[in-house]
Short mmCIF file of all heavy atoms in Angstrom, two decimals:
data_model
loop_
_atom_site.label_atom_id
_atom_site.label_comp_id
_atom_site.label_asym_id
_atom_site.label_seq_id
_atom_site.Cartn_x
_atom_site.Cartn_y
_atom_site.Cartn_z
N MET B 1 58.29 109.60 79.09
CA MET B 1 57.73 110.03 77.81
C MET B 1 58.41 109.26 76.67
O MET B 1 59.65 109.25 76.60
CB MET B 1 57.95 111.52 77.61
CG MET B 1 57.43 112.06 76.31
SD MET B 1 57.68 113.82 76.16
CE MET B 1 59.21 113.86 75.28
N ASN B 2 57.66 108.63 75.83
CA ASN B 2 58.22 107.84 74.73
C ASN B 2 58.41 108.75 73.52
O ASN B 2 57.64 109.68 73.30
CB ASN B 2 57.32 106.72 74.35
CG ASN B 2 57.38 105.56 75.34
OD1 ASN B 2 58.17 105.56 76.26
ND2 ASN B 2 56.57 104.55 75.11
N VAL B 3 59.49 108.46 72.77
CA VAL B 3 59.73 109.15 71.51
C VAL B 3 59.78 108.10 70.40
O VAL B 3 60.05 106.94 70.61
CB VAL B 3 61.06 109.94 71.54
CG1 VAL B 3 60.97 111.09 72.49
CG2 VAL B 3 62.23 109.08 71.83
N ARG B 4 59.39 108.54 69.19
CA ARG B 4 59.40 107.68 68.02
C ARG B 4 60.76 107.88 67.32
O ARG B 4 61.16 108.98 66.95
CB ARG B 4 58.34 108.18 67.10
CG ARG B 4 57.23 107.43 66.49
CD ARG B 4 56.80 106.12 66.88
NE ARG B 4 56.71 105.34 65.64
CZ ARG B 4 56.88 104.04 65.62
NH1 ARG B 4 57.11 103.37 66.70
NH2 ARG B 4 56.80 103.38 64.51
N ILE B 5 61.51 106.78 67.17
CA ILE B 5 62.78 106.84 66.48
C ILE B 5 62.88 105.68 65.47
O ILE B 5 61.99 104.85 65.41
CB ILE B 5 63.97 106.70 67.51
CG1 ILE B 5 63.89 105.36 68.25
CG2 ILE B 5 63.98 107.90 68.47
CD1 ILE B 5 65.08 105.07 69.17
N GLU B 6 63.94 105.69 64.72
CA GLU B 6 64.22 104.60 63.79
C GLU B 6 65.56 104.00 64.16
O GLU B 6 66.54 104.74 64.31
CB GLU B 6 64.28 105.13 62.36
CG GLU B 6 64.39 104.11 61.29
CD GLU B 6 64.32 104.72 59.92
OE1 GLU B 6 63.27 105.29 59.56
OE2 GLU B 6 65.31 104.61 59.21
N VAL B 7 65.60 102.68 64.41
CA VAL B 7 66.83 102.00 64.77
C VAL B 7 67.09 100.95 63.70
O VAL B 7 66.30 100.06 63.52
CB VAL B 7 66.73 101.34 66.15
CG1 VAL B 7 67.98 100.59 66.48
CG2 VAL B 7 66.44 102.38 67.22
N ASN B 8 68.23 101.09 63.03
CA ASN B 8 68.62 100.18 61.95
C ASN B 8 67.49 99.97 60.94
O ASN B 8 67.19 98.87 60.54
CB ASN B 8 69.12 98.84 62.56
CG ASN B 8 70.39 98.97 63.35
OD1 ASN B 8 71.02 100.01 63.33
ND2 ASN B 8 70.76 97.93 64.02
N GLY B 9 66.84 101.08 60.60
CA GLY B 9 65.82 101.05 59.56
C GLY B 9 64.44 100.67 60.01
O GLY B 9 63.49 100.67 59.23
N GLU B 10 64.25 100.35 61.31
CA GLU B 10 62.94 99.96 61.78
C GLU B 10 62.44 100.96 62.82
O GLU B 10 63.15 101.33 63.77
CB GLU B 10 63.04 98.56 62.49
CG GLU B 10 63.37 97.47 61.47
CD GLU B 10 63.30 96.09 62.12
OE1 GLU B 10 62.64 95.94 63.17
OE2 GLU B 10 63.86 95.19 61.52
N GLY B 11 61.18 101.37 62.64
CA GLY B 11 60.58 102.30 63.58
C GLY B 11 60.31 101.66 64.92
O GLY B 11 59.98 100.49 65.00
N ARG B 12 60.45 102.44 65.98
CA ARG B 12 60.18 101.94 67.31
C ARG B 12 59.92 103.09 68.26
O ARG B 12 60.30 104.23 67.93
CB ARG B 12 61.26 101.03 67.86
CG ARG B 12 62.56 101.75 68.13
CD ARG B 12 63.66 100.82 68.69
NE ARG B 12 63.30 100.34 70.01
CZ ARG B 12 63.31 99.05 70.37
NH1 ARG B 12 63.66 98.13 69.53
NH2 ARG B 12 62.99 98.69 71.58
N GLU B 13 59.30 102.84 69.38
CA GLU B 13 59.14 103.81 70.43
C GLU B 13 60.09 103.43 71.59
O GLU B 13 60.29 102.28 71.83
CB GLU B 13 57.72 103.84 70.93
CG GLU B 13 56.75 104.52 69.97
CD GLU B 13 55.38 104.75 70.59
OE1 GLU B 13 55.25 104.71 71.83
OE2 GLU B 13 54.47 105.01 69.81
N THR B 14 60.60 104.44 72.22
CA THR B 14 61.52 104.22 73.36
C THR B 14 61.31 105.29 74.40
O THR B 14 60.93 106.43 74.10
CB THR B 14 62.97 104.19 72.90
OG1 THR B 14 63.79 103.89 74.05
CG2 THR B 14 63.41 105.53 72.31
N ALA B 15 61.55 104.90 75.65
CA ALA B 15 61.57 105.85 76.75
C ALA B 15 63.02 106.25 77.09
O ALA B 15 63.20 107.07 77.96
CB ALA B 15 60.91 105.23 77.98
N ALA B 16 63.98 105.69 76.35
CA ALA B 16 65.40 105.97 76.60
C ALA B 16 65.68 107.45 76.33
O ALA B 16 65.28 108.02 75.31
CB ALA B 16 66.27 105.12 75.70
N ALA B 17 66.35 108.07 77.32
CA ALA B 17 66.67 109.52 77.18
C ALA B 17 68.00 109.74 76.51
O ALA B 17 68.25 110.80 75.96
CB ALA B 17 66.66 110.14 78.57
N THR B 18 68.87 108.73 76.54
CA THR B 18 70.20 108.88 75.95
C THR B 18 70.55 107.65 75.09
O THR B 18 69.85 106.61 75.15
CB THR B 18 71.30 108.97 77.03
OG1 THR B 18 71.34 107.72 77.76
CG2 THR B 18 71.08 110.11 77.99
N ILE B 19 71.61 107.78 74.32
CA ILE B 19 72.06 106.69 73.48
C ILE B 19 72.40 105.47 74.35
O ILE B 19 72.08 104.34 74.05
CB ILE B 19 73.29 107.12 72.62
CG1 ILE B 19 72.86 108.18 71.59
CG2 ILE B 19 73.93 105.91 71.98
CD1 ILE B 19 71.93 107.66 70.52
N LEU B 20 73.13 105.72 75.49
CA LEU B 20 73.49 104.62 76.35
C LEU B 20 72.25 103.90 76.92
O LEU B 20 72.20 102.67 76.95
CB LEU B 20 74.39 105.12 77.52
CG LEU B 20 74.83 104.04 78.49
CD1 LEU B 20 75.63 102.93 77.80
CD2 LEU B 20 75.64 104.67 79.63
N ALA B 21 71.26 104.66 77.30
CA ALA B 21 70.02 104.07 77.80
C ALA B 21 69.35 103.20 76.73
O ALA B 21 68.80 102.14 77.02
CB ALA B 21 69.06 105.13 78.31
N LEU B 22 69.38 103.67 75.47
CA LEU B 22 68.83 102.90 74.36
C LEU B 22 69.57 101.57 74.16
O LEU B 22 68.98 100.53 73.99
CB LEU B 22 68.81 103.72 73.07
CG LEU B 22 68.33 103.00 71.82
CD1 LEU B 22 66.87 102.60 71.95
CD2 LEU B 22 68.57 103.83 70.59
N ILE B 23 70.91 101.69 74.19
CA ILE B 23 71.75 100.47 74.04
C ILE B 23 71.40 99.48 75.16
O ILE B 23 71.24 98.26 74.91
CB ILE B 23 73.24 100.84 74.08
CG1 ILE B 23 73.62 101.62 72.80
CG2 ILE B 23 74.11 99.60 74.21
CD1 ILE B 23 74.97 102.28 72.85
N GLU B 24 71.28 99.94 76.37
CA GLU B 24 70.93 99.05 77.49
C GLU B 24 69.52 98.51 77.38
O GLU B 24 69.26 97.36 77.68
CB GLU B 24 71.10 99.80 78.83
CG GLU B 24 72.56 100.11 79.11
CD GLU B 24 72.79 101.04 80.30
OE1 GLU B 24 71.82 101.70 80.76
OE2 GLU B 24 73.92 101.12 80.77
N GLU B 25 68.59 99.33 76.88
CA GLU B 25 67.21 98.89 76.66
C GLU B 25 67.18 97.73 75.66
O GLU B 25 66.37 96.80 75.78
CB GLU B 25 66.37 100.06 76.15
CG GLU B 25 64.93 99.71 75.83
CD GLU B 25 64.18 100.92 75.33
OE1 GLU B 25 63.98 101.89 76.10
OE2 GLU B 25 63.79 100.92 74.14
N LEU B 26 68.05 97.79 74.66
CA LEU B 26 68.13 96.76 73.63
C LEU B 26 68.99 95.58 74.06
O LEU B 26 69.18 94.66 73.29
CB LEU B 26 68.67 97.36 72.33
CG LEU B 26 67.79 98.42 71.67
CD1 LEU B 26 68.49 99.10 70.53
CD2 LEU B 26 66.45 97.83 71.22
N LYS B 27 69.48 95.61 75.30
CA LYS B 27 70.30 94.55 75.89
C LYS B 27 71.55 94.26 75.09
O LYS B 27 71.93 93.08 74.92
CB LYS B 27 69.45 93.30 76.12
CG LYS B 27 68.27 93.52 77.05
CD LYS B 27 67.56 92.30 77.38
CE LYS B 27 66.38 92.43 78.30
NZ LYS B 27 65.97 93.66 78.79
N LEU B 28 72.18 95.34 74.63
CA LEU B 28 73.45 95.23 73.91
C LEU B 28 74.59 95.61 74.86
O LEU B 28 74.38 96.38 75.82
CB LEU B 28 73.46 96.15 72.70
CG LEU B 28 72.38 95.88 71.64
CD1 LEU B 28 72.43 96.95 70.57
CD2 LEU B 28 72.54 94.51 71.04
N ASP B 29 75.77 95.11 74.57
CA ASP B 29 76.95 95.44 75.37
C ASP B 29 77.49 96.81 74.88
O ASP B 29 77.96 96.90 73.76
CB ASP B 29 78.02 94.37 75.17
CG ASP B 29 79.24 94.56 76.07
OD1 ASP B 29 79.46 95.71 76.54
OD2 ASP B 29 80.02 93.59 76.21
N PRO B 30 77.42 97.85 75.71
CA PRO B 30 77.83 99.16 75.26
C PRO B 30 79.30 99.25 74.85
O PRO B 30 79.67 100.14 74.09
CB PRO B 30 77.56 100.07 76.48
CG PRO B 30 77.13 99.18 77.59
CD PRO B 30 76.93 97.81 77.08
N ARG B 31 80.13 98.31 75.33
CA ARG B 31 81.53 98.28 74.95
C ARG B 31 81.75 97.82 73.54
O ARG B 31 82.83 97.96 72.97
CB ARG B 31 82.33 97.44 75.91
CG ARG B 31 82.31 97.97 77.35
CD ARG B 31 82.85 96.94 78.31
NE ARG B 31 82.02 95.71 78.21
CZ ARG B 31 82.38 94.54 78.68
NH1 ARG B 31 83.52 94.35 79.31
NH2 ARG B 31 81.60 93.48 78.54
N LYS B 32 80.72 97.15 72.97
CA LYS B 32 80.86 96.52 71.63
C LYS B 32 79.92 97.08 70.61
O LYS B 32 79.57 96.36 69.66
CB LYS B 32 80.65 95.00 71.78
CG LYS B 32 81.68 94.34 72.68
CD LYS B 32 81.44 92.87 72.79
CE LYS B 32 82.46 92.21 73.67
NZ LYS B 32 82.21 90.76 73.81
N VAL B 33 79.45 98.32 70.83
CA VAL B 33 78.50 98.91 69.87
C VAL B 33 79.03 100.22 69.33
O VAL B 33 79.50 101.06 70.07
CB VAL B 33 77.14 99.13 70.59
CG1 VAL B 33 76.16 99.86 69.67
CG2 VAL B 33 76.52 97.85 71.04
N ALA B 34 78.96 100.34 68.03
CA ALA B 34 79.26 101.64 67.37
C ALA B 34 77.92 102.28 67.03
O ALA B 34 76.96 101.59 66.64
CB ALA B 34 80.06 101.42 66.11
N VAL B 35 77.80 103.62 67.16
CA VAL B 35 76.55 104.33 67.00
C VAL B 35 76.69 105.45 65.98
O VAL B 35 77.62 106.25 66.03
CB VAL B 35 76.11 104.91 68.34
CG1 VAL B 35 74.78 105.68 68.16
CG2 VAL B 35 75.92 103.83 69.39
N GLU B 36 75.72 105.48 65.07
CA GLU B 36 75.57 106.60 64.17
C GLU B 36 74.20 107.24 64.42
O GLU B 36 73.20 106.51 64.46
CB GLU B 36 75.63 106.10 62.69
CG GLU B 36 75.53 107.23 61.69
CD GLU B 36 75.49 106.71 60.27
OE1 GLU B 36 76.57 106.51 59.69
OE2 GLU B 36 74.38 106.43 59.77
N LEU B 37 74.19 108.52 64.70
CA LEU B 37 72.96 109.25 64.98
C LEU B 37 72.76 110.28 63.94
O LEU B 37 73.59 111.20 63.81
CB LEU B 37 73.10 109.89 66.39
CG LEU B 37 71.97 110.84 66.79
CD1 LEU B 37 70.64 110.10 66.87
CD2 LEU B 37 72.31 111.52 68.12
N ASN B 38 71.71 110.14 63.16
CA ASN B 38 71.40 111.09 62.07
C ASN B 38 72.62 111.38 61.21
O ASN B 38 73.02 112.51 60.94
CB ASN B 38 70.85 112.41 62.65
CG ASN B 38 69.58 112.19 63.45
OD1 ASN B 38 68.72 111.38 63.07
ND2 ASN B 38 69.46 112.90 64.55
N LEU B 39 73.25 110.26 60.75
CA LEU B 39 74.41 110.26 59.85
C LEU B 39 75.70 110.78 60.45
O LEU B 39 76.68 111.03 59.76
CB LEU B 39 74.09 111.03 58.55
CG LEU B 39 72.88 110.54 57.79
CD1 LEU B 39 72.58 111.46 56.60
CD2 LEU B 39 73.01 109.10 57.36
N GLU B 40 75.77 110.93 61.78
CA GLU B 40 77.00 111.35 62.46
C GLU B 40 77.40 110.24 63.48
O GLU B 40 76.58 109.82 64.28
CB GLU B 40 76.72 112.65 63.23
CG GLU B 40 76.36 113.87 62.41
CD GLU B 40 77.57 114.49 61.72
OE1 GLU B 40 78.72 114.33 62.18
OE2 GLU B 40 77.34 115.10 60.63
N ILE B 41 78.69 109.90 63.44
CA ILE B 41 79.21 108.92 64.40
C ILE B 41 79.19 109.56 65.79
O ILE B 41 79.61 110.72 65.96
CB ILE B 41 80.63 108.50 64.03
CG1 ILE B 41 80.66 107.83 62.65
CG2 ILE B 41 81.25 107.58 65.11
CD1 ILE B 41 79.92 106.51 62.56
N VAL B 42 78.73 108.83 66.78
CA VAL B 42 78.73 109.25 68.17
C VAL B 42 79.86 108.55 68.90
O VAL B 42 79.77 107.31 69.07
CB VAL B 42 77.38 109.04 68.85
CG1 VAL B 42 77.43 109.52 70.30
CG2 VAL B 42 76.26 109.67 68.08
N PRO B 43 80.89 109.23 69.36
CA PRO B 43 81.97 108.55 70.12
C PRO B 43 81.40 107.89 71.36
O PRO B 43 80.50 108.41 72.01
CB PRO B 43 82.89 109.69 70.51
CG PRO B 43 82.58 110.83 69.56
CD PRO B 43 81.13 110.67 69.22
N ARG B 44 81.98 106.72 71.70
CA ARG B 44 81.52 106.00 72.87
C ARG B 44 81.54 106.88 74.14
O ARG B 44 80.67 106.74 75.01
CB ARG B 44 82.39 104.76 73.07
CG ARG B 44 81.92 103.87 74.20
CD ARG B 44 82.70 102.58 74.32
NE ARG B 44 82.48 101.76 73.13
CZ ARG B 44 83.48 101.36 72.32
NH1 ARG B 44 84.70 101.67 72.60
NH2 ARG B 44 83.23 100.66 71.24
N SER B 45 82.48 107.76 74.21
CA SER B 45 82.58 108.63 75.41
C SER B 45 81.38 109.57 75.56
O SER B 45 81.17 110.12 76.63
CB SER B 45 83.88 109.47 75.35
OG SER B 45 83.89 110.30 74.21
N LEU B 46 80.59 109.74 74.49
CA LEU B 46 79.44 110.62 74.54
C LEU B 46 78.09 109.88 74.61
O LEU B 46 77.00 110.53 74.67
CB LEU B 46 79.44 111.57 73.35
CG LEU B 46 80.64 112.50 73.24
CD1 LEU B 46 80.55 113.36 71.99
CD2 LEU B 46 80.75 113.37 74.46
N HIS B 47 78.11 108.55 74.61
CA HIS B 47 76.86 107.79 74.62
C HIS B 47 75.95 108.12 75.80
O HIS B 47 74.75 108.20 75.67
CB HIS B 47 77.13 106.28 74.59
CG HIS B 47 77.66 105.79 73.28
ND1 HIS B 47 77.92 104.47 73.06
CD2 HIS B 47 77.99 106.41 72.12
CE1 HIS B 47 78.37 104.29 71.83
NE2 HIS B 47 78.42 105.48 71.25
N ALA B 48 76.59 108.34 76.95
CA ALA B 48 75.80 108.59 78.17
C ALA B 48 75.16 109.99 78.21
O ALA B 48 74.20 110.22 78.96
CB ALA B 48 76.64 108.39 79.41
N THR B 49 75.68 110.89 77.39
CA THR B 49 75.20 112.28 77.44
C THR B 49 74.49 112.72 76.17
O THR B 49 73.93 113.82 76.11
CB THR B 49 76.36 113.25 77.76
OG1 THR B 49 77.35 113.11 76.75
CG2 THR B 49 76.92 112.98 79.13
N THR B 50 74.51 111.86 75.13
CA THR B 50 73.85 112.22 73.88
C THR B 50 72.36 111.87 73.93
O THR B 50 72.03 110.70 74.13
CB THR B 50 74.52 111.47 72.70
OG1 THR B 50 75.89 111.83 72.64
CG2 THR B 50 73.84 111.85 71.38
N PRO B 51 71.49 112.87 73.83
CA PRO B 51 70.07 112.61 73.97
C PRO B 51 69.49 111.90 72.73
O PRO B 51 69.97 112.02 71.64
CB PRO B 51 69.48 114.02 74.12
CG PRO B 51 70.45 114.93 73.44
CD PRO B 51 71.79 114.29 73.63
N VAL B 52 68.43 111.15 72.98
CA VAL B 52 67.58 110.55 71.95
C VAL B 52 66.37 111.43 71.80
O VAL B 52 65.67 111.72 72.77
CB VAL B 52 67.18 109.09 72.36
CG1 VAL B 52 66.19 108.54 71.36
CG2 VAL B 52 68.41 108.21 72.49
N SER B 53 66.09 111.90 70.57
CA SER B 53 64.98 112.81 70.31
C SER B 53 64.02 112.22 69.29
O SER B 53 64.41 111.36 68.48
CB SER B 53 65.51 114.13 69.75
OG SER B 53 66.41 114.70 70.69
N ASP B 54 62.80 112.67 69.37
CA ASP B 54 61.77 112.24 68.44
C ASP B 54 62.22 112.40 67.00
O ASP B 54 62.78 113.47 66.64
CB ASP B 54 60.49 113.06 68.67
CG ASP B 54 59.27 112.37 68.12
OD1 ASP B 54 59.09 111.16 68.38
OD2 ASP B 54 58.48 113.03 67.42
N GLY B 55 62.10 111.35 66.18
CA GLY B 55 62.48 111.41 64.80
C GLY B 55 63.90 111.07 64.48
O GLY B 55 64.29 110.98 63.30
N ASP B 56 64.75 110.76 65.52
CA ASP B 56 66.12 110.38 65.29
C ASP B 56 66.21 109.12 64.46
O ASP B 56 65.41 108.21 64.61
CB ASP B 56 66.88 110.21 66.61
CG ASP B 56 67.32 111.51 67.23
OD1 ASP B 56 67.32 112.54 66.58
OD2 ASP B 56 67.74 111.45 68.42
N LYS B 57 67.24 109.07 63.64
CA LYS B 57 67.59 107.84 62.88
C LYS B 57 68.94 107.35 63.44
O LYS B 57 69.94 108.05 63.39
CB LYS B 57 67.70 108.14 61.39
CG LYS B 57 66.37 108.50 60.77
CD LYS B 57 66.54 108.69 59.25
CE LYS B 57 65.34 109.25 58.57
NZ LYS B 57 64.07 108.77 58.86
N ILE B 58 68.90 106.16 64.04
CA ILE B 58 70.03 105.64 64.75
C ILE B 58 70.43 104.31 64.10
O ILE B 58 69.55 103.45 63.85
CB ILE B 58 69.71 105.42 66.22
CG1 ILE B 58 69.30 106.76 66.85
CG2 ILE B 58 70.87 104.79 66.97
CD1 ILE B 58 68.71 106.66 68.21
N GLU B 59 71.69 104.15 63.83
CA GLU B 59 72.25 102.90 63.33
C GLU B 59 73.19 102.38 64.45
O GLU B 59 74.06 103.10 64.94
CB GLU B 59 73.07 103.11 62.05
CG GLU B 59 72.23 103.52 60.85
CD GLU B 59 71.26 102.44 60.37
OE1 GLU B 59 71.62 101.23 60.39
OE2 GLU B 59 70.13 102.82 59.96
N LEU B 60 72.95 101.10 64.81
CA LEU B 60 73.75 100.46 65.82
C LEU B 60 74.49 99.28 65.17
O LEU B 60 73.81 98.46 64.54
CB LEU B 60 72.90 99.93 66.99
CG LEU B 60 72.10 100.99 67.72
CD1 LEU B 60 71.22 100.34 68.77
CD2 LEU B 60 73.01 102.02 68.41
N VAL B 61 75.79 99.22 65.33
CA VAL B 61 76.55 98.08 64.81
C VAL B 61 77.24 97.44 65.98
O VAL B 61 78.00 98.07 66.73
CB VAL B 61 77.64 98.60 63.77
CG1 VAL B 61 78.44 97.40 63.27
CG2 VAL B 61 76.94 99.30 62.62
N GLN B 62 76.96 96.12 66.14
CA GLN B 62 77.53 95.40 67.24
C GLN B 62 78.73 94.58 66.76
O GLN B 62 78.62 93.83 65.77
CB GLN B 62 76.50 94.49 67.87
CG GLN B 62 76.97 93.80 69.13
CD GLN B 62 75.88 93.08 69.86
OE1 GLN B 62 74.71 93.13 69.51
NE2 GLN B 62 76.22 92.38 70.91
N PHE B 63 79.85 94.75 67.37
CA PHE B 63 81.07 94.02 67.04
C PHE B 63 81.00 92.62 67.65
O PHE B 63 80.69 92.49 68.81
CB PHE B 63 82.32 94.77 67.51
CG PHE B 63 82.43 96.10 66.91
CD1 PHE B 63 82.19 97.24 67.63
CD2 PHE B 63 82.81 96.26 65.58
CE1 PHE B 63 82.30 98.52 67.06
CE2 PHE B 63 82.92 97.50 65.00
CZ PHE B 63 82.67 98.64 65.74
N VAL B 64 81.33 91.63 66.83
CA VAL B 64 81.29 90.24 67.31
C VAL B 64 82.67 89.61 67.02
O VAL B 64 83.17 89.70 65.90
CB VAL B 64 80.21 89.46 66.56
CG1 VAL B 64 80.16 87.99 67.01
CG2 VAL B 64 78.87 90.10 66.78
N GLY B 65 83.27 89.04 68.05
CA GLY B 65 84.52 88.37 67.86
C GLY B 65 84.36 87.01 67.26
O GLY B 65 83.32 86.42 67.27
N GLY B 66 85.40 86.51 66.67
CA GLY B 66 85.35 85.19 66.11
C GLY B 66 86.66 84.92 65.35
O GLY B 66 87.55 85.72 65.33
N GLY B 67 86.67 83.78 64.74
CA GLY B 67 87.91 83.48 64.05
C GLY B 67 87.81 82.35 63.10
O GLY B 67 86.89 81.81 62.68
#
């Protein structure tokens, strides 16, 4: 079942049931992503158990190394 969410300001549909599944669907490295769900930071330890629900607003920030 797909849900309608907003990721980084853009609407999208996803079948992802959890934050971790969404990160993997977007082909991001889960070790390098910070997540805000409906204005609340989600600790990395909870990504696998935090559900994605219809209408959620999610901000994903990917850390990039460099110098």
Side-chain angles (χ1 to χ4, degrees):
M1 179 179 94
N2 285 356
V3 294
R4 235 11 232 153
I5 60 173
E6 188 176 295
V7 178
N8 293 351
E10 294 186 19
R12 68 178 294 128
E13 285 191 16
T14 183
T18 65
I19 293 293
L20 181 59
L22 176 64
I23 291 169
E24 291 171 345
E25 179 180 292
L26 296 172
K27 299 187 181 0
L28 299 174
D29 184 342
R31 298 168 300 164
K32 297 181 180 178
V33 176
V35 179
E36 181 184 272
L37 172 64
N38 300 323
L39 304 176
E40 297 282 335
I41 299 294
V42 179
R44 185 174 296 121
S45 62
L46 299 179
H47 288 182
T49 58
T50 301
V52 173
S53 301
D54 200 48
D56 279 346
K57 292 183 189 315
I58 300 168
E59 293 293 323
L60 301 175
V61 178
Q62 187 170 355
F63 299 106
V64 179

